[in-house]
Amino acid sequence: MKLVLEIVEGPHRGARFEFAEHDVFLVGRASDVNLGLTQDPHFSRRHFLLEFNPPKCLLQDLDSLNGTFVNDKKVTRCYLEDGDVISGGRTRIRFSRELEAHSETICGSSADIGTDFGDLPVVVAERPHFDPGLNALDTLPEMPFLPSYDVLRLLGQGSMGMVYLARQQSTGAQYAVKTILPEAALTERVMNLFLREVSILSRLRHKRIVRFRDMGMSNGIFFFVMDYVETINVRQVLAPFKERVRIRAIVALICQVLEGLAYAHARGFVHRDLKPANVLVGWRGTKLRAKLADFGLAKNFESAGFSGLTFDGDLVGTCAFMPPEQVSNSRDAKPTSDLYATAATLYWFLTGEFPHDFSLRSNPLAVILEQDPVPIEKRLPGFPADLAAIIKQGLAREPADRFPSADEMRLALLPYSQREAAAVQDDD
């Protein structure tokens, strides 16, 4: 299936756009939008955003001055239906769905997929299996059967799915298992392609990156077995220390994150979803260490058309660490996008607040696109000016104004880290 936009009235009449996979489409009069309606003064610079995820399309008004209308009704956020007309000023844009030839789909809830992915095992599940000695397992959401694992407990729930702790029966080793339920009906080819693309991530073998161990799909649910990291609340653990010590310890952890990014970027991988929840910090003896989780998973999930960043219910939590260019062109994230997200994550660990003030606008995506981050000195009076300048550079709106590489950003931060102290683990 492909989704189609066609301008049927107005100065730009006749323009047509087609979308067969996940994409975002920014409309307005600014120079960086995807559809520039420069001849219709009704539109704001960045008026509304469309996120295509066939067969779905989500429209979000970006706090435009004159509003966005669907079928002549003013909207702020809605899913479009076949034949809906988006309007404003003299412009009317028709949305439609078109079936492509031989586009046979299968319902994700009935597909069991298993494919040979080389050195990465893929498990095909058949029936549920839980450790009978554990309590309250009947309260857990249903989980695919992994023949060689026992589910121990629920670890948490993220924007993409549930995470469980599981024990490998043959070794007794514990792993984290993430489960993801696709939103759309899928073809077997698409599901196999997605698993194949994610399996490539197993090549990332670095002490600062959580490694994928195996994966598969059962009853419409993808599952990914990864190294388990027992995590701590960084801000809570460091709260009793003086601010100077807290700053140095947090910067040291971010330097570890940048080590992992430098390794991955050198091999052509971009994380695309770097945020505090994906920076796993735990103890190694008496020292702290950081590892990056879910490397590249969001990118491959979106590219396959299963879901998108802004489909998540918590818009602020989803986009708070996202650079502006990823909002308007999510398919073309670069290493500098990860560096912005790293600076935003450092900002959050230091302050407990997002870099942007999301109270300024009703739509958080509009804040990311239109507003500059709040200087960290305003959150933390007396914060070191030189370190604040590094964070400001990392959060630069234009990618070219950020650090050119993870290594260079790490080198800039090293003087402010606590590498020599016992609080942070430098080597695994």
Side-chain angles (χ1 to χ4, degrees):
M1 175 179 291
K2 63 182 177 183
L3 306 182
V4 178
L5 288 181
E6 184 177 5
I7 301 181
V8 294
E9 291 184 24
H12 305 271
R13 181 178 179 179
R16 178 183 168 93
F17 306 88
E18 298 181 356
F19 305 87
E21 54 190 0
H22 180 271
D23 208 344
V24 293
F25 198 70
L26 184 60
V27 178
R29 293 190 297 109
S31 60
D32 61 347
V33 301
N34 305 108
L35 173 56
L37 300 176
T38 56
Q39 299 179 47
D40 192 336
H42 167 90
F43 286 88
S44 300
R45 296 181 68 251
R46 299 175 182 88
H47 197 96
F48 66 85
L49 181 75
L50 293 167
E51 181 168 7
F52 296 94
N53 190 39
K56 292 184 178 182
C57 179
L58 178 68
L59 179 149
Q60 297 188 68
D61 179 77
L62 297 176
D63 295 341
S64 62
L65 181 62
N66 296 314
T68 301
F69 297 80
V70 174
N71 302 329
D72 298 321
K73 181 180 178 180
K74 191 173 184 178
V75 300
T76 56
R77 187 171 188 261
C78 70
Y79 287 98
L80 297 179
E81 298 296 335
D82 188 40
D84 281 351
V85 175
I86 309 165
S87 61
R90 295 177 290 159
T91 300
R92 295 176 69 83
I93 306 169
R94 183 170 58 225
F95 167 79
S96 61
R97 297 187 179 97
E98 296 183 2
L99 287 176
E100 298 181 287
H102 310 296
S103 60
E104 179 185 359
T105 60
I106 56 178
C107 179
S109 63
S110 64
D112 287 334
I113 300 298
T115 306
D116 181 8
F117 297 116
D119 64 348
L120 183 67
V122 175
V123 181
V124 179
E126 298 174 358
R127 57 184 175 82
H129 179 79
F130 297 116
D131 187 334
L134 299 175
N135 296 323
L137 281 175
D138 56 347
T139 65
L140 293 180
E142 183 179 354
M143 177 171 174
F145 166 54
L146 283 78
S148 57
Y149 295 87
D150 291 321
V151 176
L152 302 179
R153 61 185 171 92
L154 181 68
L155 292 174
Q157 181 174 4
S159 60
M160 297 180 67
M162 313 296 289
V163 183
Y164 300 84
L165 179 65
R167 181 176 59 228
Q168 190 175 41
Q169 295 169 356
S170 60
T171 65
Q174 294 185 355
Y175 295 98
V177 180
K178 171 164 285 195
T179 63
I180 302 176
L181 177 64
E183 295 182 351
L186 311 173
T187 66
E188 184 172 337
R189 181 189 64 81
V190 169
M191 287 187 284
N192 275 300
L193 179 61
F194 168 63
L195 289 174
R196 185 177 298 279
E197 290 295 321
V198 175
S199 74
I200 295 174
L201 299 174
S202 66
R203 298 176 185 173
L204 293 174
R205 300 184 181 184
H206 191 272
K207 63 184 180 182
R208 305 302 181 200
I209 297 175
V210 176
R211 184 178 168 190
F212 285 90
R213 293 291 178 174
D214 56 31
M215 61 187 63
M217 186 175 188
S218 176
N219 296 322
I221 299 176
F222 290 108
F223 58 88
F224 305 91
V225 180
M226 298 168 283
D227 287 342
Y228 170 59
V229 178
E230 189 170 355
T231 61
I232 55 124
N233 184 315
V234 178
R235 289 181 50 78
Q236 187 177 71
V237 168
L238 295 178
F241 294 91
K242 293 181 179 180
E243 183 178 62
R244 175 180 56 83
V245 176
R246 291 200 305 271
I247 291 174
R248 288 187 173 274
I250 290 169
V251 171
L253 290 169
I254 293 299
C255 286
Q256 294 182 2
V257 169
L258 289 164
E259 287 180 34
L261 285 179
Y263 166 86
H265 290 169
R267 287 153 181 80
F269 295 94
V270 178
H271 192 291
R272 276 275 302 263
D273 191 26
L274 203 156
K275 55 190 176 185
N278 284 333
V279 176
L280 307 185
V281 180
W283 292 108
R284 184 176 178 85
T286 59
K287 301 179 181 180
L288 297 176
R289 56 130 182 235
K291 285 180 176 284
L292 271 170
D294 287 359
F295 212 108
L297 192 57
K299 175 185 177 182
N300 286 287
F301 202 62
E302 290 179 24
S303 297
F306 301 152
S307 185
L309 291 174
T310 61
F311 281 108
D312 185 272
D314 178 14
L315 272 177
V316 173
T318 300
C319 70
F321 305 93
M322 186 189 304
E325 72 272 12
Q326 199 169 331
V327 175
S328 57
N329 188 8
S330 66
R331 296 177 59 81
D332 194 31
K334 299 288 197 303
T336 48
S337 301
D338 280 349
L339 301 187
Y340 177 102
T342 302
T345 297
L346 171 58
Y347 188 111
W348 187 89
F349 275 132
L350 290 169
T351 67
E353 299 186 67
F354 300 133
H356 286 87
D357 183 356
F358 289 102
S359 67
L360 298 174
R361 308 279 289 270
S362 63
N363 189 308
L365 295 177
V367 175
I368 296 293
L369 290 169
E370 300 284 353
Q371 305 293 331
D372 290 328
V374 178
I376 195 169
E377 309 95 301
K378 291 189 176 181
R379 308 282 200 197
L380 298 173
F383 191 80
D386 291 347
L387 180 55
I390 294 172
I391 295 173
K392 181 179 180 180
Q393 183 176 348
L395 292 171
R397 179 173 297 277
E398 296 296 328
D401 295 332
R402 300 171 200 155
F403 292 93
S405 70
D407 273 333
E408 293 201 33
M409 185 172 177
R410 185 177 64 84
L411 289 173
L413 287 171
L414 276 179
Y416 306 92
S417 71
Q418 196 174 355
R419 294 173 63 86
E420 74 284 2
V424 175
Q425 174 71 29
D426 183 47
D427 294 312
D428 285 84

